[in-house]
Every structure is written in C-alpha cells, then in structure tokens.
Amino acid sequence: MERSTIVRVHEGLHARPATRFVKLAKSFESNIELVKGEKSVSAKSSVKLMLLGVKENEEVTVRAEGADAIEAIEALIGYLENPRSGLEEDGQEARQKPKAPAVPAPGATSPADGRLKGVGASEGVALGLAYPYFPEEIKPENRKLSPDETEAELARFRDAVATVQKRMDASLAADGLAESDRGIIAALKDIAADETLTEETISLIRGGMDAVTAVFAAASKVATEFGEMDDPYLNARADDVHAVGRQLCLALLGREEGSLEDIPDGAILIAEDIGAWDLARAPLKRIAGVICGHGGATSHVAIIARAHGIPAVLGLGVEIGRLRAVKHIALDGGTGEVFPEPDSETTAHFEARIRTADEERAALKVFRDVVPKRPDGTVIEVAANLGSLEEIEAAQDAGAMGVGLFRTELLFMRHMHLPSEDMQTEIYSTLAKAFAPHPVIVRTLDVGGDKPVAGVDFPDEENPFLGWRGIRMCLDRPDIFKPQLRALLRAAVHGPLKVMLPMVSELSEVVRTQALIDECEAELRTEGKDYRRFELGVMIETPAAVLIAPMLAKEVAFFSIGTNDLTQYVMAADRLNPTVASLNDVTNPAVMAAIQMTAKAGVEAGIMVGMCGEAAGRPDLIPEFIRMGLTELSMSPASIQRAKKCIAEFR
Ligand code: PEP
Ligand code: MG
C-alpha cells in the first residue's frame, strides 16, 4: 500500500523534522519506506532519511506493509504535508559551528623563564587551577579478529552503544540543561542508535575488524555521504556523525569525554581552540581566565571573554601544547603573558594585582549612574555591545546608556533554521523595552563564510573576510533580509530602536536597503501590522566607507565606527591571525586618520558619530575620540564604568 504527496515541511526532511518523522514511523508495526525518485529507504532510520535528502516541495511516496499500514500512511502523509512539522520545539535548538582546522600560530614567543606570550585579548589578571581542555585523539586499533573473537567483539560494540545511550540520557535528564544543548544531545542520541551506523559497524566486525576500527570506518563512510550532499545543513551533520563515532570509541575503550560543564570554580580554561558558541554555553561565571592556541584580540571568543570580564590570552600557537599538563597558571590578559606553574614570587605578585583590580572595580561603581558630558555640556552616550538577550542584565548593572551594537549573528547561528520574523520581532522588542528611553542600535545580520548559518548556502571563498558577507549577502538574499527588516520595523514601536548596516562599501547598498525598508513598510501597512520607521545608520568599517563618508552622511542618520574590521582592512592584517597581531593596531596612524576622516564627515553633516569597535572602551583613546567629535561609545559592559570615569575627567 502506498500514497504520494508533495512535501510541505519547512526546509524539507533534515535533522529535527527527519528524526520526528522516524519517531512517528516507529510507532507503527508496519514496515515503512519513503521513496524519492528511484531511491527508497527505511522510514525508521533518521540517518537514511536525511541521506535521502528530501527537500520542501519535492514529491515522495510513503509505502507501508503490515497490520497498521493504513493508519501509518495517513499519519505520515499528514506529517509531510504540514509545513511546521518538526519545528515546534526547535526554537531553542542550537547548531554547532564547525570547528576551524587547527592552524599553528607562530606569533607566540616563549621567553627563557618559562613564561609564554600570546595576544592579550581580554584584559585583567587571573591566577588559578588550570583546566586543560584538549579532547583526546582516538586512533583506530587496526586489530584483525580471529573468527572465535567475533561474537565477543559484537557484544562489546552493543555494550558501547548502550553505554553511549545511557550517557546521553543522563545528560538529557540533568537539571538546568539549556534547551539548545538538549537539542544537540537528542540529535546525537538518534544517530548513535541509528541502524545505518550500527549495521555498517556490525558488518565490518563480522568481516574481522576490531570494534574501534569498525566504528571509525563506519562513521567516516556515513559522514562522507553527508559531506557530499548539496545542502550545507546536511553537510554539517557529518560533524555529528564523527562526534557520535567518537563517543562510541570512548565507550569501547572504557573512557569518558571531559566537559566544560565540569570546570571548577575559579579555574583557567586552556584549549587549542574553542568555538565562540561553545564558550558562550560554558559556565562562564566559573571561568577565571581563558588561554587559547587560536584567535586574536578581536575574535569573537575575545569579545565574549571581554563581555563577561574574563581575562584572556589567545593566539599562543603551538606553544599551547606545553600547557596540556600544567596544574596552576597565571595570565595577564593585557600584556598577553602566561605563567605556567608560577613560583611563589609570581603568585604573590598576581594575588596583589587581583586584589588591586578588585578594589579598582569596586571604586568604579560610583560611575555607574553618571551621565558623562563633554566640557561644553554635550552628553556622551556610553552604551553596551551585546550579542544576546542574556547579556542585558550585565549591561544594565554596569550602567549602560542603551545599546550601541546588538550583534544579531548569534541569533541566526544558534538555531537550526533561520529565525522567523515573529521570533525576531519578539527579541528586538524585548531589547528595545529593556533599555527605553535609551536607544538600542541593532546591526543587521553580519555573517559570511567564516560564520555559517543554517539555511544560507555560502560559496567556498579564498578570502571570506573579503567576500560575500554582511550587507552584501543580505541584499542578495531578500528572503533573509526582509524578515529581519520587517521585525525591526515592528519592534521599533516599543522603544527608540535604530538599525545599522555592516560592511558597507558603496552608497548603493544604503539606497537599496532603504528601498527594501519602504517595501517592508508598505507590506506591513497593508497587513494592518503596527510598525514605526527607525533611524538607519551605517557601520564605518571598510576603507571605502571612510573615503565616501561625506556622501554616506547625506543618506543616513548616524555612523558607528567598527574599529575591529576597519583596522584589519586599513592595515590589510587579518584580525584573527596572531602572526600579524602587531599590525592589527587601532593606534596605527593610518587607522587613526581613517577614524578622524569619518568623524569630520559626520560632524560636518550634523549626524551622530559613534564607535562600537573594541577601541571605544580604551581609556587611552577615549579623550582623542571625543576631541574628534564622537558622541557615542559602545563597548563590552565590563568597560562601561571605566569609560564613564574617563569621560567625566576629560578636560
Ligand atoms: C567591528 O568590526 O568593529 C565591529 C564592531 O563588528 P564585529 O566585531 O562584530 O565585526
Ligand atoms: Mg565588523
């Protein structure tokens, strides 16, 4: 018995919708297959189903044989015809960013006294227990089984599958597990139990291969199939298969994975590399410091560390390997120095500095509610840079006068699907309400090939930083850009919300965005939805934008200087590459001249000029920026009180 239909499930049967479909299929006794074109697969295997690559609007056939075939077909066809199938609980699910390949950074140096030097990425000093986080490499055993060993090896493998399932169930049952983590673990658990992986492994063991090697080979085969599909989201499932393969191997070897969840209070995290999203989900309150082989001062890991006031040294390069076994460690996030196993003198020195820093922080609290002004009475807005609603409290506690940069990337990166217009409206509205009457500046989506997002097919690029990113990508994808603009128009009803565009390099990008905003407004009007036109500004972060700043100033309501990118583009020095860290210096006269030119163009046109790059929080530069005419500085919450003090003392 069979029935055909057109799939209406949003974005087709990948990941969550596929696993839900399988769950539904498994609730029937019948043998069920899903047929697409010439291919048919068991409807009870999510991996096989995902590999079938069923997309929205494609025709498929559900074939069932058994006592409950009619009911099964009815239910499964109903599922396939519902656009929201599998999405209902997806709102909070996360998608892990694939890790960048390990590239040794030769920038780090190690003076003779054992101290190491990397890039000072988040200032402050820390001293504590080291928490090396180097997931162990597992190698295939490459053992040939004798025929009488096969059954025992199969039993060992089945035990390992059960152990992994149990470990995952235990994680799912843990108190306080974020919904985002729950989604990831549930998806991995599905793969671990899936017949595709287990059948392949079992057949290899029967062929005489030891279980660890068999899991390796089976996982590689399935991962390669995912990697070859023409859907970037399904490509990313290859990482999930490898992750499950790794868990199975660990269980076979009787080992367990370390986790950031276990990091002790006050410990210093040491890692080769850590994804921004992984760090964002870690128990940040317990982490006293971060030391990484990868990254630079303006990488997003650095930004997260600064947002939470965690001292960090990044870009240690291959030297990070020397810290795998250290027990105690000290670091200076300002100078980039790291002191493994500090002696008593160094320890005393760090303890004294930590005490002084605590005292300074306490003394700065009096500036929390200060409204800093220039000597002529002009208020200088000291605002916060935020990446998620979870950071609102820290910004308010610090005394932020609004938000000068809300990065919307995390919102897009943490979901398995593009966030809907309604979900975005809710998030931007919450933000506007939280800070009203202060302004909130939301930056439209600023992603590129280095920060992939589910649902956006990025081309392979030699230089993603010079490629299809920010406003360039958004203008080519009105299906992504317009829902964001519509959500911003709707949220602007709730407070003084402003919007700025990233990576602008041509006037036409602003003009085309304005036309899209007009279009969104007309649609909302016709639909009878509440909205308010927001002020539109641009980030000045490309040399082209600096050079046409007088022209841009006639079209927009404000400028916000993005010194992180502006520095890398003016100096032609990758902001993530520790080897060129010394060139990546905002105080270089070339970069300061670019800032000066931007300020002059904005001031002459009578529009607000602000800054949201990391330089905005530097007390050594703030007086100069104010002299140039900047009236808004937006920074990590941890820098706000010190910046207010600095402006209040400016003469
Ligand atoms: C900048 O480039 O200065 C900026 C604030 O944006 P981001 O760091 O997110 O690229
Ligand atoms: Mg930028």
Side-chain angles (χ1 to χ4, degrees), residues 407 443 446 502-503 539 541 562 564-566 575:
R407 292 183 166 96
R443 175 173 75 185
D446 184 16
M503 282 296 291
M539 290 194 68
E541 51 183 352
N564 306 340
D565 277 318
L566 186 60
R575 66 193 260 191

Side-chain angles (χ1 to χ4, degrees), residues 227-513:
E228 284 167 353
M229 298 195 69
D230 68 344
D231 176 323
Y233 186 77
L234 288 173
N235 296 155
R237 303 283 65 76
D239 289 349
D240 291 349
V241 175
H242 281 305
V244 167
R246 179 176 169 81
Q247 291 305 315
L248 288 169
C249 289
L250 284 168
L252 281 165
L253 298 167
R255 298 193 213 140
E256 269 194 68
E257 190 83 283
S259 141
L260 283 182
E261 272 310 306
D262 304 333
I263 193 162
D265 204 15
I268 292 167
L269 171 65
I270 304 171
E272 173 88 47
D273 187 17
I274 177 150
W277 177 229
D278 289 332
L279 184 61
R281 290 181 299 136
L284 292 166
K285 284 208 162 66
R286 274 187 260 145
I287 300 178
V290 174
I291 301 173
C292 256
H294 286 249
T298 57
S299 63
H300 284 92
V301 167
I303 290 169
I304 292 172
R306 276 197 291 269
H308 293 269
I310 302 173
V313 175
L314 307 182
L316 269 180
V318 289
E319 297 289 339
I320 195 79
R322 291 176 45 191
L323 304 180
R324 280 173 180 268
V326 327
K327 296 275 180 288
H328 289 92
I329 198 154
L331 69 121
D332 182 333
T335 62
E337 284 169 309
V338 170
F339 301 81
E341 310 298 6
D343 57 19
S344 53
E345 199 183 323
T346 312
T347 302
H349 170 75
F350 268 85
E351 281 168 351
R353 287 184 62 191
I354 290 169
R355 250 193 325 273
T356 312
D358 286 347
E359 283 160 15
E360 269 171 18
R361 234 190 328 271
L364 281 175
K365 284 215 170 89
V366 299
F367 290 93
R368 180 185 182 276
D369 298 316
V370 163
V371 176
K373 295 186 179 134
R374 270 193 331 216
D376 69 356
T378 307
V379 171
I380 306 291
E381 311 255 1
V382 179
N385 289 353
L386 305 185
S388 67
L389 297 185
E390 286 88 36
E391 294 163 34
I392 291 179
E393 205 183 313
Q396 288 174 333
D397 285 353
M401 300 157 72
V403 175
L405 165 63
F406 182 71
R407 292 183 166 96
T408 54
E409 295 78 72
L410 263 190
L411 174 63
F412 281 73
M413 287 165 71
R414 76 204 289 180
H415 296 290
M416 284 177 141
H417 300 278
L418 293 167
S420 67
E421 177 187 320
D422 284 348
M423 185 201 277
Q424 291 189 62
T425 306
E426 205 175 302
I427 289 171
Y428 307 145
S429 303
T430 305
L431 199 61
K433 284 182 207 159
F435 288 93
H438 292 300
V440 164
I441 303 181
V442 178
R443 175 173 75 185
T444 58
L445 183 60
D446 184 16
V447 290
D450 64 321
K451 286 189 255 172
V453 158
V456 188
D457 197 359
F458 286 97
D460 279 339
E461 296 178 317
E462 288 278 333
N463 293 304
F465 270 124
L466 301 180
W468 195 58
R469 59 179 312 124
I471 191 65
R472 304 167 184 185
M473 186 278 272
C474 283
L475 284 169
D476 286 345
R477 290 289 305 261
D479 58 318
I480 296 171
F481 200 19
K482 278 183 65 181
Q484 184 170 43
L485 294 172
R486 283 172 51 106
L488 289 163
L489 285 164
R490 289 169 62 191
V493 170
H494 299 288
L497 190 126
K498 304 183 191 184
V499 174
M500 68 181 171
L501 310 177
M503 282 296 291
V504 166
S505 46
E506 274 193 337
L507 193 61
S508 67
E509 290 160 339
V510 176
V511 175
R512 287 172 63 201
T513 304

